[in-house]
Amino acid sequence: MTWLAIFFTLISIAFYASVEMQRRPELRSKPVAVCGSQEERHGIVLTANYIAKPFGVKTGMAVWQAKQCCPDLVVLPPDMREYIRISKLAREIYEDYTDQIEPFGLDENWLDVTGSAGLFGSPMAMAKEISDRIKFELGITASIGVADNKVTAKLGSDYRKPDAITRIEADNYREIAYPLPVRDLLYVGSATERKLHSLGIYTIGQLAQCPVSCLTYKLGKMGAVLHTFANGKDPSPVKRADYAATVKSVGNSATTPRDLVSEEDVHLMLYLLAESVAARMRDLAARCMVVELYVRDTGLASFTRQRKLAVPTCSSAEIAQVAFELFRANYRWNQPIRSIGVRGAELVEADAGVQTSLLDDDAKREKWERIDAAMDHLRQRYGYMSIRRAVTCADPELGRINPRDDHTVHPVGYFGG
């Protein structure tokens, strides 16, 4: 089997900038960065184009730091709807060649074209045709890796950018991959890279030749996984286009427009987040058996706590109350809070049978779930702000947050679908 790892211009870290330059041709010769809102305290670089990178502009850098590195940097806000639209259009191109398409984030996809060779020619020919169509139909370029497994295909797509096709298979794997720095391998982040450096491992070739026992001693199970990747192997298949992963949890978090300094602030935020989480569970016809709380203070220290429920729920009031109890039991107010999150985990089907009781708790839960469902209907028809809990009106700055619609689109994880 042969896979194509399709990555839009400059892989994921420059996709947003590429779309912006396609929309605004006058920016193509200028350093450009797409950044979060400084006013809402998301002021970091999300992506930068190739002109900005030699100046030292990097993903995750604060906007003020990026402007110090590159005073002429053009800073643009993200337009997620447009990026999603372009991503969907690209997927329509891929679907002309195969129905085995697996996304890896918004701008990355693996394609298994094993069964398409009889119709479209060799994998390299298909890669060239796909690249030409993306350029002609969407106005952006693609970096493509052609390989016999997903991890190596991604390595190939990273090898030359922005507009290139790289084939890496058994006959040339060592020649191309072994000299590359170990950080180029999928799932070798900065922390793992430091651990590998402590073992004297700086290249993919050194990682491939290191004894597995040494790697597992230092990295645990992930050591064996990375050893397999470094040797150009990955047995995981490309999922079909109609594949739907089982959703095990639903969560939402927010970096607040100002620090949370009181229990009243936290109470308000937990209700906002719980409403979003509960609404998404209802969309999935599910309830949660576990409520999880995430807190991060202004010193960037964070913790997560969770509680198992006696009865599954999708009541926003109950989720918020459990999260608030977890907060009061675990937070000591050493510093104000910068961000906070709520998650419903261990999801079960909404109509799954449960042991009910004659106590008031079950009746209250059913009542609040009906109220929540009515709020969903009103918001779908008249907008999110058409109906609000009184508690969210206590602070106009916090209460204006819409966690349901203003959430960040995160990459799809490689492990766990």
Side-chain angles (χ1 to χ4, degrees):
M1 293 187 294
T2 300
W3 286 268
L4 305 184
I6 306 298
F7 294 80
F8 293 164
T9 308
L10 314 184
I11 321 306
S12 58
I13 60 172
F15 173 53
Y16 301 169
S18 300
V19 174
E20 295 297 343
M21 288 187 293
Q22 188 271 339
R23 294 164 65 178
R24 311 179 196 193
E26 70 275 11
L27 298 179
R28 292 177 181 174
S29 61
K30 299 179 180 180
V32 175
V34 177
C35 304
S37 168
Q38 297 183 74
E39 291 76 17
E40 297 180 5
R41 306 205 302 168
H42 300 285
I44 63 171
V45 175
L46 302 176
T47 179
N49 68 357
Y50 272 120
I51 299 174
K53 288 180 182 180
F55 290 94
V57 179
K58 299 178 181 178
T59 300
M61 178 182 284
V63 175
W64 65 268
Q65 290 177 312
K67 287 185 175 180
Q68 281 188 340
C69 295
C70 182
D72 295 328
L73 185 68
V74 178
V75 175
L76 301 174
D79 184 350
M80 294 307 303
R81 290 186 179 181
E82 178 65 10
Y83 307 152
I84 292 171
R85 185 183 75 86
I86 295 295
S87 179
K88 289 180 178 178
L89 290 175
R91 186 179 177 93
E92 290 178 5
I93 293 176
Y94 307 155
E95 288 173 349
D96 288 342
Y97 299 88
T98 179
D99 63 349
Q100 288 183 259
I101 306 168
E102 181 179 345
F104 185 60
L106 185 62
D107 57 338
E108 308 173 351
N109 289 268
W110 280 294
L111 280 64
D112 182 348
V113 297
T114 306
S116 306
L119 294 173
F120 302 104
S122 71
M124 288 294 288
M126 276 184 273
K128 180 64 167 61
E129 188 172 321
I130 291 171
S131 176
D132 290 344
R133 288 188 60 184
I134 289 174
K135 191 181 304 181
F136 179 75
E137 297 176 27
L138 305 183
I140 59 178
T141 56
S143 175
I144 301 178
V146 179
D148 56 7
N149 66 79
K150 290 158 58 177
V151 169
T152 306
K154 185 184 186 318
L155 193 66
S157 69
D158 290 340
Y159 188 67
R160 288 185 295 158
K161 299 174 287 187
D163 186 12
I165 301 171
T166 302
R167 182 188 67 87
I168 307 179
E169 294 185 273
D171 62 324
N172 65 348
Y173 179 81
R174 293 193 177 192
E175 177 186 349
I176 294 178
Y178 272 25
L180 296 176
V182 71
R183 64 176 174 272
D184 287 358
L185 194 64
L186 183 65
Y187 267 84
V188 177
S190 56
T192 301
E193 183 183 23
R194 287 193 297 271
K195 292 178 181 178
L196 291 173
H197 285 180
S198 71
L199 296 174
I201 297 173
Y202 295 89
T203 67
I204 291 177
Q206 290 173 329
L207 177 60
Q209 295 168 352
C210 181
V212 177
S213 57
C214 179
L215 294 172
T216 54
Y217 177 79
K218 191 71 174 180
L219 302 173
K221 294 180 180 179
M222 197 62 191
V225 173
L226 293 179
H227 185 266
T228 300
F229 289 176
N231 279 282
K233 300 176 182 177
D234 173 24
S236 61
V238 174
K239 298 179 178 64
R240 297 182 67 87
D242 57 0
Y243 172 80
T246 302
V247 179
K248 298 179 181 179
S249 67
V250 176
N252 207 328
S253 62
T255 298
T256 52
R258 66 168 176 81
D259 294 338
L260 308 183
V261 297
S262 67
E263 288 193 351
E264 289 74 19
D265 289 346
V266 173
H267 193 243
L268 186 160
M269 283 302 304
L270 291 177
Y271 261 103
L272 283 173
L273 295 168
E275 283 185 349
S276 170
V277 169
R280 287 177 176 151
M281 282 194 284
R282 286 189 291 277
D283 289 344
L284 295 168
R287 290 186 170 95
C288 68
M289 283 296 302
V290 172
V291 172
E292 182 177 286
L293 170 74
Y294 164 79
V295 175
R296 186 183 188 187
D297 65 25
T298 53
L300 304 185
S302 62
F303 72 84
T304 302
R305 298 290 185 272
Q306 60 179 221
R307 179 184 297 176
K308 184 91 170 181
L309 304 178
V311 178
T313 186
C314 64
S315 162
S316 59
E318 185 173 9
I319 293 169
Q321 183 59 37
V322 172
F324 189 57
E325 290 171 2
L326 286 169
F327 174 82
R328 297 186 71 179
N330 291 281
Y331 199 68
R332 299 293 174 261
W333 287 109
N334 296 323
Q335 296 193 64
I337 294 169
R338 177 178 173 83
S339 60
I340 191 166
V342 174
R343 180 175 297 277
E346 293 189 20
L347 299 188
V348 298
E349 295 181 4
D351 57 358
V354 297
Q355 180 65 49
T356 60
S357 72
L358 300 178
L359 301 178
D360 289 341
D361 286 349
D362 287 338
K364 288 180 180 179
R365 181 180 299 107
E366 291 177 5
K367 176 182 176 182
W368 279 112
E369 288 182 357
R370 289 197 298 271
I371 291 173
D372 280 340
M375 289 177 64
D376 289 346
H377 178 72
L378 289 171
R379 284 174 167 169
Q380 288 171 3
R381 187 167 184 177
Y382 300 109
Y384 182 83
M385 292 297 178
S386 62
I387 182 168
R388 300 167 61 191
R389 294 179 185 271
V391 66
T392 65
C393 300
D395 187 304
E397 189 174 17
L398 297 177
R400 67 182 171 83
I401 297 174
N402 178 354
R404 177 71 195 265
D405 298 328
D406 297 340
H407 65 288
T408 301
V409 178
H410 295 284
V412 178
Y414 183 76
F415 298 103

